[in-house]
Amino acid sequence: MSLPTSLAAVIVTYNRLDKLKRVIDALKKQTQLPDQVFVIDNASTDDTGAWLQELQNQNPRFQHVRLRENSGGAGGFYEGARVAYEAGHDYIWFSDDDAYPEPEAIAQLQHSLQDFETRFHHRPSFACSAVKWTNGDLCEMNTPTTVWDWPRFYNPETPYFLVSACSFVSVLVPRWVIQEHGFPIKDYFIWYDDAEYTQRIAKTYPGIYCPNSEVIHDVPENKGVNYALINDKNIWKFRYGARNETSFRRREQGWYGVAVFLRGVRNQMRAGNVDPALRRDVYKAIWQGCSFAPAIERPDPDSSV
């Protein structure tokens, strides 16, 4: 007989109340309803705060955690992981404020983690969903990274694929992972915080991609992260992405990893005929990333219950 486990959901939001309401509705329809839902409000300036406070008053299962300033997705997921961990939950599900899980999405992830461990005697570090775009196509920006032997355990009864990284759009992380590897890096602000975290925790054992768990990601365009697509409107995100990935590669792969990344970015920007001034911004961010080494925070032993 399996022991009961507790489950928390973490949603990070900023000024997208209409979409957030759809996320909350989707969570209420889950067959595996989270014991607590922590909505991390990144100091929204619209009606998000008032609406979430009313939701919490009506249903304490939904907890409004308002930050004093906008700390980006990275700061939000750090805070969500911290409060969910300190609340004692065994599993933490992370997702965004514009991603709508199908009713079985969370239940499938939790079942998959437990089933995989029982069958194969390995503990996956995370389980992630199949993320679809609004028209049902694969969502390009949320495609997980597979390991070399990704289909090792696949069969129709166990449809699991081994992955080394995924996005924070519907990913379930067990408590022991945070105990061993710490929290997401809040200082990344935005972009690559999810890739850094899942690659870090996958050092213990890869995660699993679960195609039976589906989520719809309501983003305007179905495009992945490609430096050929840089323009005046999105350069601010690419600056963070370049700095953060360089920081990760410097830490994990040394100067060789930085050089490989630099070459790839340069080739993509050339292929996209990116404006020279914007290219210089990216190169400057890569240079900054070479010395950017934010601390990895770990839970206080006294908060482990």
Side-chain angles (χ1 to χ4, degrees):
M1 180 178 178
S2 60
L3 295 174
T5 58
S6 61
L7 168 70
V10 169
I11 303 295
V12 177
T13 189
Y14 178 70
N15 284 355
R16 287 201 288 214
L17 181 55
D18 288 344
K19 291 184 177 182
L20 176 63
K21 289 179 179 180
R22 292 185 60 184
V23 174
I24 298 301
D25 286 342
L27 286 175
K28 290 178 178 178
K29 296 174 183 176
Q30 291 298 299
T31 58
Q32 177 65 52
L33 191 65
D35 297 284
Q36 284 187 294
V37 178
F38 297 98
V39 184
I40 311 302
D41 175 6
N42 250 325
S44 295
T45 57
D46 60 2
D47 294 330
T48 295
W51 185 83
L52 284 173
Q53 195 57 49
E54 180 63 25
L55 175 67
Q56 178 177 310
N57 293 340
Q58 294 175 355
N59 187 346
R61 183 188 302 268
F62 295 90
Q63 292 291 304
H64 176 210
V65 181
R66 182 172 175 85
L67 304 185
R68 287 183 292 182
E69 60 182 11
N70 184 2
S71 60
F77 285 117
Y78 161 83
E79 184 65 17
R82 187 188 65 79
V83 297
Y85 180 88
E86 292 181 357
H89 294 288
D90 301 298
Y91 294 93
I92 304 174
W93 180 79
F94 298 94
S95 198
D96 215 341
D97 63 353
D98 58 356
Y100 318 129
E102 298 292 345
E104 289 281 341
I106 298 178
Q108 287 285 357
L109 293 180
Q110 186 167 356
H111 166 77
S112 297
L113 281 176
Q114 295 170 341
D115 183 55
F116 192 99
E117 185 174 348
T118 299
R119 290 176 184 268
F120 305 120
H121 308 292
H122 295 295
R123 292 194 304 177
S125 51
F126 61 88
C128 59
S129 298
V131 184
K132 305 293 184 67
W133 195 43
T134 52
N135 68 352
D137 289 345
L138 178 74
C139 195
E140 301 289 343
M141 68 167 59
N142 305 119
T143 305
T145 303
T146 56
V147 302
W148 72 271
D149 58 344
W150 57 270
R152 180 178 296 276
F153 298 104
Y154 173 80
N155 66 56
E157 206 173 305
T158 57
Y160 313 132
F161 302 100
L162 297 178
V163 294
S164 60
C166 73
S167 71
F168 279 157
V169 174
S170 190
V171 55
L172 186 66
V173 176
R175 180 179 183 81
W176 67 263
V177 166
I178 295 177
Q179 291 173 326
E180 292 191 13
H181 296 283
F183 300 114
I185 296 177
K186 61 183 176 183
D187 294 327
Y188 272 12
F189 190 77
I190 196 171
W191 276 27
Y192 212 75
D193 52 308
D194 44 12
E196 185 281 332
Y197 189 66
T198 48
Q199 288 178 88
R200 188 197 331 155
I201 67 179
K203 289 179 179 179
T204 297
Y205 194 80
I208 52 175
Y209 171 72
C210 308
N212 290 341
S213 172
E214 294 191 357
V215 176
I216 304 300
H217 198 184
D218 187 5
V219 290
E221 296 180 295
N222 191 14
K223 294 180 179 179
V225 177
N226 188 320
Y227 285 80
L229 303 176
I230 293 175
N231 56 48
D232 290 326
K233 293 182 179 179
N234 63 26
I235 181 62
W236 70 276
K237 288 185 178 181
F238 279 94
R239 288 194 197 102
Y240 280 111
R243 182 199 65 173
N244 295 343
E245 185 165 354
T246 301
S247 173
F248 168 80
R249 287 178 178 260
R250 176 75 178 92
R251 188 188 79 206
E252 298 294 331
Q253 303 166 359
W255 290 114
Y256 174 77
V258 173
V260 170
F261 176 60
L262 173 61
R263 182 178 62 186
V265 169
R266 181 193 61 189
N267 291 341
Q268 287 181 7
M269 291 195 297
R270 284 180 174 176
N273 197 27
V274 174
D275 181 90
L278 299 181
R279 295 191 206 187
R280 287 193 292 271
D281 280 351
V282 173
Y283 291 139
K284 181 179 179 180
I286 291 175
W287 174 253
Q288 292 170 340
C290 291
S291 58
F292 180 56
I296 295 172
E297 296 191 28
R298 301 180 182 278
D300 184 336
D302 293 337
S303 66
S304 180
V305 295

